[in-house]
């Protein structure tokens, strides 16, 4: 079945929201409870819909058939520095290049909006991002969790 990588369609927002909630439960339980709940509220269906309408926001999905199997959520609102907030692929679709395709799509959209640099924070995937050209820019704690700040020059 063909996979589509691109901007989320309005009809796909509920499926994106469901996958986001599932990802939080399955892969982001290391967040302290308050941070977990805040992430869930910040990425609820109404908030995702508001982001979908906001210039400079990038909500990308990998869709197979009618199933959203991955997503990236980013912001290119600052013309100099973009932020990649979330990159996630269902476990059943990992190892197939889906995350790389989502990342490439997101980077292209950031460049198109004039961004020169993208930053992200990760706990467990610094090596993944380093393999894709990101450099470690710092380490610190967020909500008591050790995290890595990664940066990539887009130009």
């Amino acid at each position: 079945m063909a996979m589509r990588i691109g901007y989320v369609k309005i009809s796909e927002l509920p499926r994106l929201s469901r996958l986001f909630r599932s990802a939080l439960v399955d892969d982001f339980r290391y967040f302290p409870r308050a941070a977990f709940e805040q992430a869930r509220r910040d990425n609820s269906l109404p908030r995702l819909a508001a982001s979908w309408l906001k210039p400079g926001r990038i909500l990308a999905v990998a869709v197979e058939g009618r199933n959203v199997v991955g997503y990236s959520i980013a912001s290119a609102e600052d013309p100099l520095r973009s932020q990649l907030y979330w990159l996630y692929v269902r476990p059943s679709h990992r190892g197939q290049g889906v995350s790389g395709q989502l990342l490439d799509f997101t980077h292209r959209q950031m460049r198109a909006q004039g961004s020169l640099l993208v930053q992200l924070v990760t706990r467990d995937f610094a090596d993944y991002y380093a393999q894709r050209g990101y450099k470690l820019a710092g380490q610190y704690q967020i909500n008591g969790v050790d995290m890595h700040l990664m940066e990539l020059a887009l130009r």
Side-chain angles (χ1 to χ4, degrees):
M1 189 173 297
M3 175 109 33
R4 178 181 70 82
I5 307 288
Y7 279 109
V8 67
K9 298 176 182 177
I10 194 164
S11 62
E12 296 166 336
L13 281 171
R15 285 175 266 161
L16 169 59
S17 179
R18 282 192 298 277
L19 181 56
F20 186 91
R21 286 191 317 266
S22 174
L24 273 179
V25 170
D26 293 342
D27 288 341
F28 296 100
R29 277 292 183 186
Y30 58 83
F31 285 152
R33 189 75 183 156
F36 178 89
E37 291 300 329
Q38 186 66 47
R40 193 167 67 184
R41 282 190 300 276
D42 287 349
N43 295 279
S44 66
L45 180 56
R47 296 290 295 269
L48 287 171
S51 288
W52 184 78
L53 293 169
K54 193 172 185 181
R57 288 298 170 122
I58 301 166
L59 279 71
V61 289
V63 179
E64 187 176 65
R66 292 187 37 81
N67 297 315
V68 173
V69 299
Y71 59 82
S72 68
I73 299 174
S75 173
E77 295 170 65
D78 179 334
L80 300 177
R81 181 179 55 225
S82 294
Q83 301 291 322
L84 177 61
Y85 300 120
W86 301 98
L87 177 65
Y88 180 81
V89 174
R90 286 184 189 275
S92 62
H93 286 75
R94 292 179 187 163
Q96 300 174 30
V98 177
S99 63
Q101 291 176 61
L102 279 165
L103 197 57
D104 289 346
F105 176 85
T106 302
H107 289 162
R108 283 194 305 276
Q109 304 318 305
M110 290 171 170
R111 280 187 200 98
Q113 294 185 39
S115 291
L116 302 175
L117 178 78
V118 60
Q119 293 181 320
L120 62 86
V121 177
T122 184
R123 177 182 149 204
D124 297 325
F125 294 99
D127 289 343
Y128 171 85
Y129 291 107
Q131 291 171 4
R132 282 145 186 84
Y134 281 78
K135 304 291 183 213
L136 181 64
Q139 294 178 286
Y140 54 95
Q141 286 194 342
I142 299 176
N143 299 310
V145 178
D146 291 330
M147 302 294 275
H148 306 279
L149 174 65
M150 307 293 291
E151 294 182 340
L152 175 70
L154 291 173
R155 303 268 176 199

